[in-house]
Amino acid sequence: MKTGFVPSRPRKMGRYIAYRTYFILLCGMYLLLVFMFHGRLQVEIQQTQNIDEIVRHKHQNVSIIRNKKKYHLLHHPQTTTHHTSINYKTLKTVNNCFTQPDSTKFKFIDVMKETFYVYSAYYDDRYSEPSVRIMSLLSKIIKSKINIYCYFNQSNFSKRTNASIYEMCENHNRKYGGYIISCPVPNIVKHPCNVSIKFEFPERKFISKEVTLNVIKIDPGSSKYKFGVCVPPLFGNVQKESLVEFIELTRILGAEHFIFYDYHILSSDFHMVLEYYRKRNIVTVIPWKLPSVVTEPLIWYHGQLIAHNDCLYRSMSLLNVLGIMDMDEFVIPRNDTLSWKQVILPMLVGNVVGLRFPIMEMMAVPKLITAGSLTRTKQLSKIRTKIMVKPHLIFEVGIHHVSKPAKENYTIQAVDSNVAFLHHYRKCVSNYGMKCSDRITDSTALKYSKQLLTNYYNVLASYRNKIIAILTTNRSITVIIGFVKCCISINV
């Protein structure tokens, strides 16, 4: 009996209590770690916010101009064969049903696979006969063999019109090229907020499916920014430092907004810096994924020409003056002049609707190329120029020139190299008569270096602190998960 009365149960209870105490202590350690990491996270976030405030303060000169005045535009040369009289057209503010010009929800939609794709649509009522302009990618094999129809489907009726096909100027005879499909808008349709198109191929007795696009209204009266820049489709491993230098120097020059086309950017760092600027309403990033069958060399340089003209039409409702340039290109005023406003606006008067800047090839160097590269070609390139335009007075742009102003008497002025020219930071290419061996010293860009360096390092510091904050957040989440698991184990 005595042996059976041995208090074994209390010994088990003792072990059980020790077990619970162990886990309570373990949970206490987890809780302590949570508070420690949480405190560190708050410090990192506060540092990030402080740097953000510094960067924001540095760029208070960027103003958003909301011009509510109505524009009166002259009629452009018709892209269709029939005659239309010139008149003055009053542009009104964008109706709510139209897609916003800074929307990023775009992709190539096939009207017929491997043949005809559409990307974006713009309601163009600058003319006596309004049209919807559709940025399109079309196979040259069938461009003259098809009939395209546009459908304006309203709540109580539907109207069909015959479209015209305008070929963009620099398709370089590739299989696929850029085209502007123009759909005349019937008078009865007041707000063509979407348009449907399909085509027939009489030779093959084929009729395509119907595709519907949302429409952006061209409305210069709603422009938010004085100067802006379009950057052609980017791809590959683009360095984030190059992006920061490009945006910060171009902002010092006067740009307030940038429109990028993302063809296939591989760098995650680059995407994160783009997001940094996007959250500050400095950039808009447009997806640019070509159809899988449309590859080099079947189209010229990743569809750059279509992107240029999509950006042109998009900018008509966003920008007063548009520059089209790559990330290694900067329009630099000469002498003591600092800003585009001082140089460009005085030249864009009367019938002058665009400017052509000669190019100097600068020797590229690592890191801050504009501060470190002080030699350039002595010779100017007047063939490979870059442009800045009043977008709402242009019908089509090319890659290095304006292909078609909105009116025949509108002119594009060549800028004197003593006033400004474009610095192109790359390895010099000896084409179009360029003599790369004949070089001189040019330190003009150094007048921006002090402000550029401050802005450049502030942005990169803010970017690094955000990365630290993200990593700290991830560690804190790991600790919290461990704490929850600990508590669950105690209750089991």
Side-chain angles (χ1 to χ4, degrees):
M1 281 299 288
K2 221 169 181 179
T3 307
F5 191 70
V6 175
S8 58
R9 189 170 180 180
R11 284 198 298 270
K12 287 183 181 178
M13 179 63 72
R15 285 195 300 270
Y16 180 68
I17 292 171
Y19 184 77
R20 286 176 59 89
T21 303
Y22 170 78
F23 273 99
I24 288 171
L25 290 173
L26 185 60
C27 289
M29 291 177 64
Y30 271 120
L31 189 60
L32 180 61
L33 288 171
V34 168
F35 281 115
M36 288 174 61
F37 279 110
H38 179 73
R40 181 180 174 185
L41 174 60
Q42 295 304 313
V43 171
E44 296 290 355
I45 290 174
Q46 186 62 46
Q47 289 175 347
T48 300
Q49 290 173 344
N50 291 340
I51 290 175
D52 285 349
E53 286 302 318
I54 292 171
V55 175
R56 195 174 295 113
H57 177 72
K58 289 288 183 183
H59 301 306
Q60 284 298 318
N61 60 321
V62 178
S63 59
I64 298 178
I65 300 172
R66 299 185 180 277
N67 182 5
K68 298 300 182 182
K69 296 180 180 179
K70 296 179 179 179
Y71 280 67
H72 298 273
L73 302 178
L74 296 176
H75 177 50
H76 76 93
Q78 285 293 297
T79 58
T80 52
T81 55
H82 59 276
H83 173 74
T84 305
S85 60
I86 296 175
N87 77 334
Y88 289 89
K89 191 80 176 178
T90 300
L91 294 182
K92 300 180 180 179
T93 55
V94 176
N95 185 280
N96 288 336
C97 69
F98 288 104
T99 299
Q100 294 301 310
D102 55 358
S103 171
T104 60
K105 296 180 180 179
F106 294 91
K107 65 179 181 178
F108 283 97
I109 303 173
D110 64 280
V111 184
M112 181 179 177
K113 288 185 182 297
E114 301 185 19
T115 303
F116 184 19
Y117 301 86
V118 292
Y119 186 75
S120 56
Y122 298 88
Y123 176 44
D124 192 349
D125 66 347
R126 297 176 293 171
Y127 323 123
S128 59
E129 290 188 2
S131 296
V132 170
R133 314 288 184 191
I134 301 174
M135 301 299 137
S136 307
L137 191 159
L138 186 62
S139 169
K140 69 176 184 179
I141 299 172
I142 67 162
K143 66 181 181 180
S144 60
K145 300 178 181 179
I146 60 175
N147 301 316
I148 301 175
Y149 303 108
C150 309
Y151 296 85
F152 297 93
N153 301 316
Q154 306 293 295
S155 57
N156 55 348
F157 67 89
S158 179
K159 289 288 184 179
R160 189 187 91 168
T161 60
N162 297 334
S164 61
I165 304 174
Y166 175 92
E167 182 174 3
M168 296 180 191
C169 68
E170 290 187 69
N171 286 326
H172 294 272
N173 203 32
R174 303 298 172 94
K175 177 180 179 180
Y176 294 102
Y179 294 80
I180 299 175
I181 308 299
S182 294
C183 299
V185 179
N187 292 332
I188 196 173
V189 178
K190 301 304 180 184
H191 301 293
C193 295
N194 56 69
V195 63
S196 300
I197 65 167
K198 64 181 180 181
F199 74 90
E200 67 172 354
F201 198 164
E203 186 179 296
R204 299 184 182 179
K205 297 181 180 180
F206 172 81
I207 298 178
S208 74
K209 65 182 180 180
E210 188 172 305
V211 170
T212 300
L213 290 170
N214 293 325
V215 176
I216 295 172
K217 186 181 188 299
I218 294 174
D219 182 22
S222 66
S223 296
K224 299 178 182 179
Y225 309 104
K226 181 69 73 178
F227 289 98
V229 172
C230 283
V231 181
L234 294 173
F235 56 93
N237 285 305
V238 190
Q239 298 299 312
K240 65 179 184 298
E241 291 82 4
S242 300
L243 173 63
V244 174
E245 180 178 12
F246 172 71
I247 290 180
E248 292 305 319
L249 178 52
T250 310
R251 290 182 72 197
I252 293 170
L253 289 164
E256 296 169 283
H257 198 74
F258 301 79
I259 301 174
F260 287 86
Y261 285 77
D262 182 358
Y263 175 63
H264 188 48
I265 302 171
L266 298 176
S267 170
S268 58
D269 286 344
F270 190 94
H271 280 289
M272 292 184 72
V273 174
L274 272 181
E275 182 64 11
Y276 168 90
Y277 285 112
R278 188 195 66 79
K279 288 182 177 179
R280 288 156 177 76
N281 296 317
I282 296 171
V283 307
T284 297
V285 183
I286 309 296
W288 192 253
K289 185 178 180 180
L290 293 174
S292 58
V293 297
V294 182
T295 57
E296 302 283 346
L298 300 180
I299 192 170
W300 181 257
Y301 207 67
H302 315 298
Q304 179 182 10
L305 188 60
I306 310 171
H308 276 201
N309 282 282
D310 176 76
C311 201
L312 170 72
Y313 277 75
R314 188 182 302 275
S315 298
M316 292 178 188
S317 304
L318 291 172
L319 311 172
N320 292 338
V321 179
L322 164 68
I324 301 177
M325 55 195 74
D326 296 317
M327 276 179 44
D328 57 358
E329 297 176 335
F330 304 85
V331 172
I332 304 292
R334 307 300 292 170
N335 304 320
D336 296 329
T337 309
L338 294 175
S339 71
W340 288 348
K341 182 179 179 181
Q342 295 170 281
V343 171
I344 292 166
L345 293 184
M347 290 190 285
L348 288 174
V349 294
N351 286 340
V352 178
V353 298
L355 303 173
R356 295 172 59 241
F357 292 89
I359 294 178
M360 293 289 191
E361 299 289 347
M362 307 293 294
M363 182 181 293
V365 296
K367 299 298 179 184
L368 276 171
I369 54 174
T370 56
S373 178
L374 303 179
T375 62
R376 64 168 174 85
T377 56
K378 186 176 181 180
Q379 182 184 6
L380 283 164
S381 174
K382 296 184 179 180
I383 299 175
R384 296 173 64 88
T385 61
K386 285 299 174 80
I387 59 172
M388 297 186 79
V389 299
K390 293 181 176 179
H392 63 282
L393 298 179
I394 304 295
F395 182 78
E396 182 210 356
V397 293
I399 296 173
H400 293 281
H401 67 282
V402 173
S403 303
K404 187 174 184 179
K407 221 171 165 265
E408 287 183 359
N409 65 325
Y410 288 165
T411 61
I412 309 302
Q413 179 176 312
V415 178
D416 190 321
S417 61
N418 292 318
V419 176
F421 57 74
L422 186 134
H423 290 208
H424 192 186
Y425 293 88
R426 66 164 187 175
K427 183 179 179 180
C428 183
V429 179
S430 298
N431 57 10
Y432 300 104
M434 177 60 70
K435 297 179 181 179
C436 295
S437 59
D438 194 2
R439 308 187 74 87
I440 60 174
T441 300
D442 189 331
S443 60
T444 308
L446 287 182
K447 61 188 175 182
Y448 305 104
S449 59
K450 184 176 180 180
Q451 186 177 352
L452 173 60
L453 284 168
T454 300
N455 297 355
Y456 176 83
Y457 287 115
N458 281 343
V459 172
L460 289 180
S462 180
Y463 164 77
R464 284 192 294 269
N465 282 330
K466 285 185 180 295
I467 295 297
I468 292 171
I470 291 170
L471 294 175
T472 304
T473 302
N474 290 340
R475 287 195 294 268
S476 298
I477 291 171
T478 303
V479 171
I480 291 168
I481 291 171
F483 175 70
V484 171
K485 286 182 178 179
C486 171
C487 294
I488 291 173
S489 67
I490 290 176
N491 293 326
V492 172

